[in-house]
């Protein structure tokens, strides 16, 4: 129980709720008698204080949750006082037509004998997040008290919250979605509406829907990212919509006072080749400072100051090393305008293609679709030399190209180039797209440029299990005062290549497919006079229908006094019909006879489980001990992905603990 003095996490009104809103006043003395509503009477029967309590102050705003509120009224002797009128209000009030607010349901207009009035507070509008204040007052007095609540609903936030970009610049934007209970809003589609002077970079993670041409999907952490190019000058907003919410990012694109003409980030240049640098500075005739991360400029150092002639500043870069080389250019005035570019440098050594071995590998080789999934594509290049090992790494700095073969299915590579390191290894990252692949996967080729020697690999993109497999434990436990068993069960989800799929939601159901009549032997096993019968509920709707069965055909049980056909009807809410009235399924339907076995005989299990990073989920099946060896149960596991249902089932008779040798005979014998 949280009282009004407690802190209220997340409520914006903080100090107000902790101080100004939490008022309590005391009444003076006066005449005798009970409370009449005309002000304080004597100190015994008149209200002197009012307090408000709540079982929680943070409420889920999706309409599924509510807070329970208790108001207490006491007299001057600190005793609870009944029969006192109390009014309660909420701000904002959602009960008024056309208002967005919260619903306060008050149970009673005066305090009960216990001196209390109770109420509940919930969201009157699904997914309405915000703050609310409940106030309780005693009419015609100065006694009142308040308490604040925070309703936690979905949210859509961005980082950054606003953009000022230079023309030609590219900016990364991260979107974070939270669900109704404040948890990460995973697997949510967020539509992107960018102004015409910008462009959303079409890369991994960007999807298209009929009602949403450009969108992203949040990952398990509720986050997704995209990149935005500033193509022209302008002012506007990038509008993001998802979870029924809208978030706007103001964006302004200003002129690029400095920009590189050459080189570009897509260039790959051999380290012995001089690089001609050209920087555009429209309308500027002063000096430009150029800096390189590797090599020397104009034969001097890593920094060169050159004049802008005709709006262009030039320099020459030599002596740079392999890898990504970054260049920056800045006007030497008070504007602070600058630009950055880069290129890829490689070392073209003399390799013999016949003596060079190339292999490529993807790790992992299977990815879940979506922006959060990536794989490392690694090429290893070694060479053979006479009289030496056959696995000598090629020299470092060898240029390796990476490219897709065929459709990338929305996937992307972190770079089209990489250099070999000292171990002859070069790597890039593959970012998964949002389209599942076939079992052949998305294919990637990597080549050693100097000798044009290549190798290929594939990465499977999937959002569905290739299969679900159910496994049973070989041990069981007892519970519920030794009246029920607990059977641990595991289920594993794998993709089409056998790779484990984590984070898959799997729906579960247990159904009694068959039941047995018969008797247990001295060891406790159901082995004497046993007959096995199919479930009478043929359509599994837990309702006696005209097409349902009426069990007959007992053979083994006849020698132990059981009838060959079911005799007992046991209709719900009615008396047992006369003997011989129910002889078949039609009569059973007319009399509303009980279905055998009851659906609960299969036991209970969770409705949904989620696989871990190993693709595994474990849960318990709990069932009555007297159904052990009597009920055959089917565990049905399903998962729905992109409209396709993947299903697996496991059918078995409920097991008995070996030490339980005094279990009762089949509970269904009484019906025959």
């Amino acid at each position: 129980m949280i009282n009004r003095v407690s802190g209220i996490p997340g409520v914006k009104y903080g100090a107000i709720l902790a101080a100004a809103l939490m008022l309590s006043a005391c009444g003076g003395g006066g005449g005798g008698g009970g409370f009449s509503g005309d002000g304080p009477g004597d100190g015994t029967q008149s209200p002197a204080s009012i307090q408000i309590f709540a079982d929680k102050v943070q409420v889920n705003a999706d309409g599924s949750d509510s807070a329970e509120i208790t108001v207490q009224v006491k007299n001057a002797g600190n005793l609870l006082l009944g029969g006192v009128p109390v009014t309660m209000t909420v701000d904002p009030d959602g009960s008024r037509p056309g208002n967005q607010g919260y619903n306060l349901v008050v149970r009673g207009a005066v305090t009960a004998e216990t001196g209390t009035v109770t109420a509940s507070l919930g969201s009157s509008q699904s997914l309405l997040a915000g703050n609310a204040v409940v106030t309780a007052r005693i009419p015609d007095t100065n006694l009142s008290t308040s308490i604040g609540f925070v309703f936690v609903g979905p949210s859509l936030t961005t980082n950054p919250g606003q953009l000022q970009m230079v023309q030609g610049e590219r900016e990364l934007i991260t979107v974070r979605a939270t669900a109704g209970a404040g948890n990460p809003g995973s697997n949510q589609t967020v539509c992107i509406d960018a102004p015409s002077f910008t462009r959303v970079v079409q890369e991994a993670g960007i999807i298209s829907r009929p009602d949403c041409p450009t969108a992203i999907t949040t990952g398990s952490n509720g986050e997704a990212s995209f990149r935005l190019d500033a193509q022209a000058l302008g002012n506007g907003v990038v509008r993001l919509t998802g979870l029924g919410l809208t978030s706007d990012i103001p964006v302004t694109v200003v002129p690029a006072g400095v920009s590189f003409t050459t080189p570009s980030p897509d260039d790959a240049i051999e380290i012995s080749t001089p690089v001609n640098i050209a920087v555009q500075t429209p309308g500027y005739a002063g000096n430009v400072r150029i800096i390189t991360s590797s090599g020397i400029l104009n034969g001097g150092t890593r920094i060169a100051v050159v004049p802008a002639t005709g709006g262009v500043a030039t320099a020459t870069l030599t002596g740079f090393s392999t890898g990504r080389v970054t260049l920056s250019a800045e006007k030497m005035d008070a504007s602070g305008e600058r630009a950055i570019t880069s290129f890829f440098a490689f070392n073209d050594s003399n390799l013999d293609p016949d003596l060079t071995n190339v292999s490529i590998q993807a790790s992992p080789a299977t990815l879940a679709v979506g922006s959060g999934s990536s794989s490392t594509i690694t090429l290893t290049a070694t060479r053979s030399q006479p009289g030496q090992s056959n696995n000598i790494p090629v020299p470092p700095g060898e240029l390796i190209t990476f490219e897709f073969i065929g459709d990338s299915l929305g996937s992307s590579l972190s770079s089209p180039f990489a250099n070999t390191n000292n171990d002859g290894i070069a790597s890039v990252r593959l970012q998964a797209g949002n389209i599942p692949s076939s079992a052949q996967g998305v294919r990637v080729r990597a080549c050693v440029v100097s000798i044009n020697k290549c190798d290929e690999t594939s990465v499977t993109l999937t959002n569905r299990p290739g299969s679900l497999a159910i496994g049973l434990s070989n041990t069981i436990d007892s519970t519920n005062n030794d009246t029920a068993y607990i059977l641990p069960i595991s289920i594993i989800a794998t993709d089409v290549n056998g790779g484990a799929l984590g984070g898959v939601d799997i729906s579960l159901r247990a159904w009694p497919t068959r039941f047995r009549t018969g008797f247990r032997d001295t060891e406790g096993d159901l082995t004497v006079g046993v007959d096995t019968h199919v479930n009478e509920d043929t359509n599994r709707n837990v309702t006696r229908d005209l097409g349902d069965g009426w069990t007959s055909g007992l053979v083994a049980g006849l020698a132990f006094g059981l009838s060959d056909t079911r005799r007992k009807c046991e209709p719900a809410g009615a008396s047992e019909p006369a003997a011989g009235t129910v002889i078949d399924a039609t009569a059973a339907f007319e009399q509303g006879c009980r279905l055998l076995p009851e659906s609960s005989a299969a036991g209970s299990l969770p409705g949904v489980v989620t696989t871990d990073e190993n693709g595994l989920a474990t849960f318990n099946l709990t069932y009555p001990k007297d159904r052990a060896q009597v009920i055959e149960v089917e565990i049905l596991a399903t998962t729905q992905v992109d409209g396709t249902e993947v299903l697996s089932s496991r059918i078995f008779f409920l097991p008995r603990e070996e030490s339980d040798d005094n279990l009762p005979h089949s509970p269904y014998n009484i019906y025959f």
Side-chain angles (χ1 to χ4, degrees), residues 19 160 183 187-188 206 255 286 348 372 493 503 562 589 626 653:
N183 297 317
N187 199 33
Q188 297 293 322
I206 301 298
D348 192 2
L562 300 183
F589 169 71
D626 64 355
F653 274 96

Side-chain angles (χ1 to χ4, degrees), residues 148-162:
F149 298 85
V150 57
F151 281 78
V152 183
S155 65
L156 200 62
T157 57
T158 64
N159 185 25
Q162 61 180 8

Side-chain angles (χ1 to χ4, degrees), residues 217-232:
T217 303
T218 59
S220 59
N221 62 352
E223 294 185 357
S225 298
F226 66 95
R227 294 193 292 172
L228 187 72
D229 283 343
Q231 294 187 307

Side-chain angles (χ1 to χ4, degrees), residues 196-446:
S196 59
F197 55 88
T198 66
R199 181 184 71 92
V200 176
V201 180
Q202 298 298 309
E203 55 189 350
I206 301 298
I207 61 174
S208 180
R209 301 280 176 86
D211 58 342
C212 183
T214 306
I216 50 178
T217 303
T218 59
S220 59
N221 62 352
E223 294 185 357
S225 298
F226 66 95
R227 294 193 292 172
L228 187 72
D229 283 343
Q231 294 187 307
L233 308 184
N235 290 284
V237 295
V238 176
R239 174 156 293 177
L240 305 172
T241 55
L243 291 90
L245 303 174
T246 299
S247 179
D248 287 344
I249 308 173
V251 56
T252 300
V253 177
V254 298
V258 181
S259 62
F260 280 91
T261 303
T262 58
S264 78
D266 293 331
D267 290 338
I269 302 173
E270 209 275 331
I271 58 174
S272 63
T273 303
V275 178
N276 295 318
I277 301 170
V279 180
Q280 288 191 335
T281 58
Y284 176 73
N287 289 332
V288 176
R289 180 189 292 114
I290 301 176
I291 303 175
T292 179
S293 63
S294 177
I296 57 175
L297 293 163
N298 295 339
T301 65
R302 293 174 56 192
I303 301 175
V305 176
V306 296
T309 303
V312 178
T314 61
T316 302
L317 175 67
T318 58
F320 47 91
S321 302
T322 58
R324 180 67 63 176
V325 178
T326 300
L327 299 168
S328 66
E330 182 178 4
K331 286 182 180 179
M332 296 184 67
D333 60 6
S335 68
E337 294 178 338
R338 63 193 300 264
I340 296 176
T341 192
S342 65
F343 66 93
F344 201 87
F346 66 95
N347 182 15
D348 192 2
S349 59
N350 295 320
L351 295 177
D352 186 338
D354 294 332
L355 299 177
T356 303
N357 306 305
V358 174
S359 64
I360 187 174
Q361 183 177 9
S363 180
T366 300
L367 294 177
V369 297
S371 59
S373 300
S374 64
S375 174
T376 301
I377 310 297
T378 301
L379 178 135
T380 302
T382 60
R383 53 183 174 169
S384 303
Q385 290 187 347
Q388 299 186 37
S389 168
N390 291 332
N391 293 311
I392 301 173
V394 300
E398 193 71 36
L399 180 64
I400 310 298
T401 60
F402 294 85
E403 62 180 348
F404 288 107
I405 305 171
D407 195 343
S408 68
L409 300 178
S411 301
S412 63
L413 296 171
S414 60
S415 174
F417 310 113
N419 284 126
T420 55
N421 60 16
N422 290 333
D423 297 317
I425 293 173
S427 300
V428 297
R429 299 287 292 176
L430 182 146
Q431 196 79 22
N434 286 280
I435 303 174
S437 69
S438 66
Q440 286 70 39
V442 173
R443 299 198 60 78
V444 178
R445 176 191 293 125

